[in-house]
Amino acid sequence: AKTCAERGATVFMLNRPSARAKKAVEEVGRGARAVDCDLTSFASTREAAANVMKQSGGVVDVLVLNAGVMALPFDATPSDGYDVQMQTNVISHWLLTRELFPALRASSAARVVSQSSLAAKMSSALRKECFEKVPMCTSWAKSTWDIYGQTKLSNLVFTEALQTRLNAAKITNVRAVAAHPGIAATNLQVTTANNPGRGASSFQLALLGKSGIFQSEADGATPALVAAFDADVEGGDFFGPSRMFQCKGAPKKVPKDKKVTPQACDILWSGCEAA
């Protein structure tokens, strides 16, 4: 967000109202506009999209879907009843894209960038149950990490499903692209370590840090920046770090996950539509 604002872009930052969100907007500085948005609520997500439509003049050039929670305890969202990870990381992203699609179409060259993760490799296949409400959506899972892996695989599947539909509709001015940050030292890891029962202690994360596998938060953002702005990006491309099994390094185009299949695309799209 800071890089975009420094280059003259108007950046709409969708966050739940909090001191942390206010500080983030202040750090980005000139060009940043705060928009209240709680992805655990479909009503809030729709309202946020309407606010962006109004403030942007009906034109959005880049939509970066990078909001996410990791390995939260099994819980249903208060308003809608879906698993909090699935709704925050996946279903509300789909909804936000749908609500903002007229503004993306109004751009001369728009992109929808989904932020995935290496955790997508944790899932053997996308599960239809994950798009059901609690408790059905989590009844199969042994750990909250199972659900997190599903959400990150879903981000890749969403990109493929959206690009497939754009191609079928012969829409060429909107591209769907995906990225992942490798293993970056962000607040997401800190929060995970400090929340009991999530499966990764601060000691374990400290060991990973000493191994040199972490890259900086700024470096972790570069694959998404390439996906959003590089001139040679094509619809459906996927970007991640280039070194240490995609854990760190300069961004490059990486292979699509073999679990991103037409069947998985149908599961995701029908599940999000039904929600």
Side-chain angles (χ1 to χ4, degrees), residues 159-176:
T159 295
E160 185 71 13
L162 177 57
Q163 188 59 49
T164 298
R165 284 159 175 76
L166 291 170
N167 292 343
K170 297 183 179 179
I171 295 173
T172 59
N173 69 314
V174 182
R175 298 177 186 178

Side-chain angles (χ1 to χ4, degrees), residues 5-275:
E6 288 173 349
R7 284 159 175 75
T10 299
V11 182
F12 296 96
M13 300 178 66
L14 278 61
N15 292 293
R16 289 176 294 180
S18 67
R20 181 182 168 193
K22 183 179 179 180
K23 181 181 178 181
V25 172
E26 291 172 351
E27 288 178 350
V28 171
R30 187 177 180 179
R33 298 185 185 180
V35 178
D36 291 347
C37 181
D38 183 354
L39 294 175
T40 66
S41 165
F42 292 146
S44 176
T45 302
R46 291 189 181 95
E47 184 177 357
N51 286 337
V52 171
M53 288 288 289
K54 183 178 180 180
Q55 294 186 50
S56 68
V59 181
V60 172
D61 297 309
V62 180
L63 174 60
V64 180
L65 303 168
N66 68 330
V69 292
M70 183 166 69
L72 290 180
F74 295 128
D75 197 11
T77 56
S79 302
D80 306 299
Y82 291 90
D83 174 74
V84 66
Q85 292 191 85
M86 282 300 298
Q87 183 162 338
T88 302
N89 297 5
V90 183
I91 304 175
S92 285
H93 285 193
W94 181 93
L95 176 60
L96 189 62
T97 304
R98 188 188 71 177
E99 296 295 302
L100 289 176
F101 195 73
L104 292 163
R105 282 285 280 140
S107 170
S108 59
R111 295 185 192 179
V112 179
V113 181
S114 292
Q115 183 83 310
S116 184
S117 163
L118 288 172
K121 298 180 183 296
M122 296 166 59
S123 297
S124 59
L126 192 64
R127 301 182 67 109
K128 187 176 182 179
E129 305 98 297
C130 288
F131 296 90
E132 302 289 343
K133 293 189 176 184
V134 172
M136 178 68 73
C137 60
T138 57
S139 60
W140 62 276
K142 297 179 180 179
S143 162
T144 56
W145 287 98
D146 292 333
I147 302 298
Y148 182 67
Q150 284 284 300
T151 71
K152 295 294 100 180
L153 176 58
S154 292
N155 297 148
L156 296 178
V157 172
F158 169 72
T159 295
E160 185 71 13
L162 177 57
Q163 188 59 49
T164 298
R165 284 159 175 76
L166 291 170
N167 292 343
K170 297 183 179 179
I171 295 173
T172 59
N173 69 314
V174 182
R175 298 177 186 178
V177 195
H180 80 82
I183 301 182
T186 68
N187 284 329
L188 196 60
Q189 277 74 23
V190 173
T191 306
T192 300
N194 291 336
N195 192 309
R198 292 191 180 185
S201 68
S202 56
F203 173 71
Q204 289 169 322
L205 290 174
L207 288 178
L208 281 175
K210 288 183 179 180
S211 73
I213 202 170
F214 276 112
Q215 62 179 356
S216 71
E217 186 174 14
D219 287 341
T222 56
L225 284 171
V226 170
F229 299 110
D230 190 89
D232 296 327
V233 170
E234 297 181 357
D237 282 352
F238 181 30
F239 295 89
S242 55
R243 296 171 48 219
M244 294 184 70
F245 304 100
Q246 297 182 34
C247 290
K248 64 186 300 183
K252 71 170 186 177
K253 184 176 176 181
V254 296
K256 294 181 181 179
D257 196 303
K258 293 181 180 179
K259 299 184 289 289
V260 179
T261 64
Q263 181 182 12
C265 290
D266 289 342
I267 288 173
L268 179 135
W269 209 266
S270 60
C272 289
E273 281 186 325

